[in-house]
Amino acid sequence: MARRGASTRGRVKASGKGGADDGTGRRGGGRGPGRTEREPVSRQVAGGLAELLPDRERPHGWTLLIDGAPQSHVDLDDPAHLSFAYQRRLGHVIDLAAPPLRPLHVLHLGGGAFTLARYTAATRPRSTQQIVELDAPLVELVRDRLPLDPQARVRVRAADAREGLGRLPDGWADLVIADVFSGARTPAHLTSAEFLTEVRRVLKPEGRYAANLTDGPPLAHLRGQVATAAAVFPELALAADPVVWRGRRFGNAVLLASGLPLPVAEFTRRVASDPHPGRVEHGRALADFTGGAAVVTDAAAKPSPAPPPSVFENP
């Protein structure tokens, strides 16, 4: 889930791959006077009303919304372009997971428009990836309208995120990315220590876990999620907009966790230099941020808080 208006779009010259879009995300013939204008696409899926809105600034860019909540942005001509601020931060996590171009084993919990899987395939060719997405009609919509590169080694499984996680062998993943929302809320069973223990089982010893979290004042959910991750992983970092850190606005935060030291300095530099600069906390400062919040267990887990309606209004 991303706050509407929080994209980081830039005016980028067209790639020259030729042809007007036919409304499905695929290119037709020619950019002249007969060019076909792209129209929004809507379809009822398991999670609500899915809408694909064309990006008027990028000839083959689309934004996916579920019940009005922006979920993903994808540019079919430039899959390395990440529009939403939180997706850029997850892109930094992917970039820093290994030396450049080294293939990774990546598990994506939550599919959206497959944005981060596309990014990984573009920046780390020959990576092996699995997407676990519960909403089968949404998967069908994205496959139909925003098809994956057939050369990308991406497998998509329609299943519950925790169920799909449980099917993977120990030590399979270099990176597990959780970006799971039912509407605009993370399901309760994906917020617990038991869930994170299963994540750590699937990770390689040097592997990393990254999660897109959302919260607003007084940040009780976010504090609880940091405390819960700290009970499973010894190394943590959290990136968010300064106004989110100060508890002034509902928004996204990216949690990064591992059993081994993280590249905190470089992650901090990249987040601070984004078009929408963020701040990274780790170590003692992050521990102090939790303020004694309790570890979340399956028995006490709750979904993430619902965002206020104003979050999805254009600024």
Side-chain angles (χ1 to χ4, degrees):
M1 191 281 291
R3 184 177 63 90
R4 184 172 294 177
S7 65
T8 57
R9 297 173 190 159
R11 295 187 178 274
V12 179
K13 186 177 179 181
S15 67
K17 292 187 178 180
D21 195 283
D22 65 1
T24 68
R26 295 180 287 271
R27 286 172 287 279
R31 296 179 183 264
R35 173 176 175 170
T36 302
E37 290 297 326
R38 297 178 299 157
E39 296 296 332
V41 176
S42 63
R43 185 181 300 178
Q44 196 69 33
V45 298
L49 179 65
E51 299 173 90
L52 290 174
L53 305 183
D55 183 339
R56 301 305 180 187
E57 297 180 5
R58 304 184 72 86
H60 299 104
W62 295 84
T63 299
L64 169 67
L65 289 79
I66 305 291
D67 281 345
Q71 301 287 336
S72 302
H73 178 277
V74 63
D75 187 333
L76 298 181
D77 275 352
D78 183 9
H81 172 78
L82 299 176
S83 182
F84 293 158
Y86 88 86
Q87 289 184 327
R88 288 183 64 90
R89 290 163 192 165
L90 288 170
H92 299 326
V93 171
I94 295 167
D95 292 344
L96 296 173
L101 299 179
R102 177 182 294 178
L104 298 174
H105 281 69
V106 185
L107 173 63
H108 301 268
L109 301 178
F114 309 161
T115 303
L116 292 168
R118 299 174 199 268
Y119 179 86
T120 303
T123 60
R124 294 182 177 276
R126 303 181 308 282
S127 290
T128 299
Q129 302 186 77
Q130 290 199 32
I131 297 172
V132 180
E133 169 58 58
L134 178 62
D135 196 329
L138 176 61
V139 170
E140 181 182 353
L141 172 64
V142 173
R143 282 189 179 277
D144 179 40
R145 297 287 179 163
L146 307 175
L148 284 164
D149 182 342
Q151 301 302 315
R153 299 171 60 180
V154 181
R155 180 182 180 185
V156 185
R157 182 192 297 274
D160 173 77
R162 194 153 162 181
E163 176 188 344
L165 179 68
R167 293 179 181 177
L168 286 176
D170 295 1
W172 180 85
D174 296 292
L175 186 59
V176 174
I177 299 175
D179 187 12
V180 186
F181 288 86
S182 177
R185 306 178 73 181
T186 301
H189 68 300
L190 304 181
T191 67
S192 69
E194 291 92 337
F195 164 68
L196 289 180
T197 298
E198 189 69 358
V199 168
R200 190 164 186 187
R201 176 191 67 79
V202 169
L203 285 170
K204 297 176 182 178
E206 70 279 11
R208 295 170 187 168
Y209 170 68
N212 176 32
L213 308 174
T214 58
D215 200 8
L219 301 181
H221 174 73
L222 192 55
R223 297 178 202 276
Q225 287 302 285
V226 174
T228 304
V232 179
F233 294 96
E235 301 289 337
L236 300 177
L238 187 69
D241 290 351
V243 290
V244 174
W245 276 115
R246 293 195 292 268
R248 294 176 53 190
R249 192 191 72 203
F250 192 100
N252 300 74
V254 168
L255 176 66
L256 180 58
S258 180
L260 297 178
L262 295 166
V264 173
E266 181 60 17
F267 185 51
T268 300
R269 187 191 69 79
R270 292 185 182 215
V271 169
S273 61
D274 277 341
H276 289 269
R279 194 176 92 220
V280 174
E281 294 289 1
H282 66 99
R284 180 59 183 270
L286 187 56
D288 290 345
F289 167 76
T290 65
V295 173
V296 177
T297 64
D298 278 342
K302 298 178 181 179
S304 65
S310 60
V311 169
F312 303 126
E313 296 175 356
N314 287 314

